[in-house]
Amino acid sequence: MALTEISPRKYGKLLATTLPKVIENRKEFDRYVATMEQLDRRVENGGSLSPEENALVALLERLIQDYDDRVELPDVPPLQILQYLMEQRGLRQADLLPIFGSRSVTSDVINGKRDFSKAHIRRLAEFFHVSPQVFL
């Protein structure tokens, strides 16, 4: 995306609303993730993002990834992390069908009968905007 495609006025309004900066704590992290999820839901529901919103998404992804890379994660089993992320976002098994591909695989993974595949890990990381390391 070229800089000329972005309206400085529109992008400035988005930045003034979001106030992106280097993430220093979990509260800021959660706020940026919520903003990303809101934009993701719009796209998932058939909408599209403006060039300015796409630029904001790219910036937030970078800030979130930088924070995520700095934070030491406790030694928690990947399945427990997935269950926690689902609970925090109010998700059901059916919400993860695009990640796992079928109801049976989704059920097996969430019930601990099947391990995450590499493809599952990659898709989960993208879906939840976290490092793939979370699910290893």
Side-chain angles (χ1 to χ4, degrees), residues 31-92:
R31 186 168 58 90
Y32 294 155
V33 168
T35 300
M36 292 278 300
E37 288 174 345
Q38 178 184 16
L39 293 169
D40 283 346
R41 274 192 298 278
R42 184 163 20 130
V43 172
E44 289 171 0
N45 292 327
S48 63
L49 300 180
S50 68
E52 296 79 16
E53 289 169 324
N54 281 319
L56 178 63
V57 166
L59 175 59
L60 292 177
E61 284 176 344
R62 176 74 54 94
L63 293 171
I64 289 167
Q65 185 64 48
D66 288 348
Y67 178 80
D68 198 37
D69 289 345
R70 288 192 322 257
V71 174
E72 289 288 326
L73 296 174
D75 193 20
V76 178
L79 179 57
Q80 191 174 345
I81 291 174
L82 174 59
Q83 291 167 339
Y84 173 78
L85 290 170
M86 289 175 65
E87 179 183 320
Q88 291 300 307
R89 289 164 175 81
L91 299 175
R92 302 176 327 259

Side-chain angles (χ1 to χ4, degrees), residues 8-21:
R9 185 180 59 75
K10 290 178 183 176
Y11 189 56
K13 284 184 178 182
L14 279 173
L15 293 175
T17 301
T18 310
L19 297 172
K21 66 178 197 65

